[in-house]
Amino acid sequence: MANLKIENVVKSYGNVQVMHGIDLDIEDGEFVVFVGPSGCGKSTLLRMIAGLEDISGGDISIGGSVMNEVAPSKRGVAMVFQTYALYPHMTVYKNMAFGLIQAKTPEDEIDRRVRQAAEVLHLTDYLERSPRALSGGQRQRVAIGRAIVREPQVFLFDEPLSNLDAALRVQTRLEIARLHERLGTTMIYVTHDQVEAMTLADKIVVLRDGRVEQVGSPIELYERPQNAFVAQFIGSPKMNFFGNADFVAGRSPGADKGDAIVGIRPEHLEECGEGDALMSAKLDLVENLGEYALAHMVNDAGTEFIAKLDKAPSVAKGGTLYFTAKPELVHFFDSATNQRIG
C-alpha cells in the first residue's frame, strides 16, 4: 500500500493543454473517485498515474518516490479497464496468472495468489472455464482478479462497470467496495456516474475541463458544494436553481443577496399550503417510482424544476402546487462567478 501525491501536473497535446495544474494528495488505503462529465480529463489523469500517458509538467509520486520517468510495470500499480481484455483461448486461471508468468514468478507463488484472489472474488468454481462461458459480471471479476494477483500498491479502475447492465452494475459495485474493505489497498476509481462516486468513495475529486472543481467526502460535496457546477453534478436528480423572480414576492430566501442563484435540491422541497409557500408552480409531468415520485414543475417565470415527493401529487397535470424549504437546506451561489456564498 502507498500514498500518492500529484503536484502541479499538466498535460498538453501539441499546443492544446488539457490538464491544468492538478494538485492532489491521496492517503494510504483511501478509496478515491475521479468523477466528472465526458472529456473532463479523469481518464487522462488516471493514465498519467499509471504511466500510460506522459505528463507535460509537474510530479507524480507513489509511496514517496517520483514516478515521472518510471515504466508502468515498475510503478507498483495495477489497472482494470472498461473492457475486460481477457485472452479468449485461456482459462480463467491462466488469464489471472498470465502477468505473473511473464514476470517469472515461481509456480507455487502463482498458484497461491490466483487461488486466493479467486476466493475473494467468488471465482473458485470457474477457474477452468474459458471467458466465453462467463457472464459479463464474472468476466469483470476476472479482470479485477488479474490486477489483485500482482499485489500492487495502488489499484486503478477506469470505468469498470460501464459495460454491465443495471443489476450487474449494482452487484459488482458492492463487490468492489467489499474488496477495498478486505484488502485496504489505495484505490483510484474513474466514473461519470455520480451514484457510483457517492456510494464507493472515501474522497471524491470532481473534475471539469482538466481542472479540479472540488475535493471532499461524498457528504461534504452533497451538503456544501463550492460552486454551482458541483452542486448540480452531485445529487440525483440534480439541484434546482432559482432566481429571486421565481419566489413569492417578499419571500425569496436570497432577497438579501442581490441576484444570487438560489439552489434547492428536489428532495428538500416540501409541499405546503399557499400561505406558507416560497413558490408556486404548475405540474407538468409525474414520474411515479413507487417509493417516491418526481414532480416536474414549471412556474410563471418559465423556470423548470423537480420536486421529489413521498407520493404522487393529487392535482392533475396543469394544477398548481406550493412549496417551501428549510432555510438550512437552501444554497446560494454568486451569479457572476458561480462560487458558493456563505
Side-chain angles (χ1 to χ4, degrees), residues 71-338:
S73 61
K74 305 295 184 184
R75 295 192 178 200
V77 303
M79 192 161 178
V80 179
F81 295 91
Q82 180 176 340
T83 53
Y84 319 127
L86 302 179
Y87 296 106
H89 63 289
M90 293 183 181
T91 62
V92 168
Y93 184 100
K94 289 181 178 177
N95 265 284
M96 292 171 65
F98 184 76
L100 298 178
I101 294 170
Q102 294 299 106
K104 300 188 178 355
T105 307
E107 284 188 22
D108 58 341
E109 179 65 9
I110 292 173
D111 189 68
R112 180 191 71 79
R113 292 194 196 181
V114 169
R115 294 190 183 280
Q116 187 176 62
E119 183 180 350
V120 168
L121 295 167
H122 309 292
L123 290 170
T124 302
D125 295 338
Y126 306 99
L127 287 174
E128 297 309 314
R129 291 193 187 183
S130 64
R132 66 176 175 271
L134 304 178
S135 69
Q138 290 165 340
R139 291 178 195 177
Q140 191 57 278
R141 295 212 302 272
V142 175
I144 294 170
R146 187 170 53 192
I148 289 175
V149 298
R150 294 186 57 196
E151 298 183 351
Q153 297 183 81
V154 180
F155 280 98
L156 306 176
F157 295 89
D158 190 6
E159 302 200 47
L161 309 185
S162 58
N163 287 332
L164 305 181
D165 62 37
L168 275 176
R169 285 177 75 101
V170 173
Q171 178 187 337
T172 311
R173 186 176 75 214
L174 291 173
E175 288 172 354
I176 290 173
R178 292 184 183 120
L179 179 66
H180 178 252
E181 252 184 48
R182 183 163 180 171
L183 299 180
T185 309
T186 306
M187 293 185 177
I188 304 174
Y189 186 104
V190 162
T191 182
H192 64 273
D193 185 334
Q194 58 91 26
V195 174
E196 286 179 18
M198 293 289 286
T199 53
L200 285 172
D202 297 320
K203 183 161 69 183
I204 295 175
V205 179
V206 182
L207 292 157
R208 178 172 62 157
D209 297 334
R211 293 180 173 85
V212 174
E213 292 289 329
Q214 189 173 349
V215 179
S217 69
I219 197 65
E220 283 179 298
L221 270 62
Y222 178 81
E223 292 183 344
R224 286 193 61 82
Q226 290 305 299
N227 57 50
F229 173 79
V230 175
Q232 284 208 315
F233 197 84
I234 298 297
S236 180
K238 66 183 181 180
M239 184 183 288
N240 300 304
F241 285 161
F242 304 99
N244 286 330
D246 293 310
F247 296 94
V248 174
R251 296 185 191 172
S252 170
D256 62 339
K257 295 178 171 60
D259 61 349
I261 300 167
V262 180
I264 307 176
R265 295 196 181 278
E267 57 270 31
H268 295 155
L269 285 170
E270 301 175 8
E271 264 196 276
C272 65
E274 183 176 359
D276 299 318
L278 283 175
M279 69 180 79
S280 63
K282 289 184 169 49
L283 181 63
D284 181 54
L285 176 71
V286 176
E287 294 180 88
N288 197 338
L289 301 173
E291 61 177 313
Y292 61 88
L294 297 179
H296 294 254
M297 311 297 301
V298 182
N299 66 18
D300 290 341
T303 301
E304 298 180 10
F305 65 94
I306 297 174
K308 187 175 181 179
L309 307 175
D310 291 337
K311 59 182 180 180
S314 56
V315 303
K317 180 176 178 177
T320 300
L321 294 175
Y322 300 92
F323 298 98
T324 188
K326 294 176 181 175
E328 65 270 22
L329 298 177
V330 178
H331 306 261
F332 303 97
F333 304 94
D334 186 279
S335 59
T337 65
N338 285 333

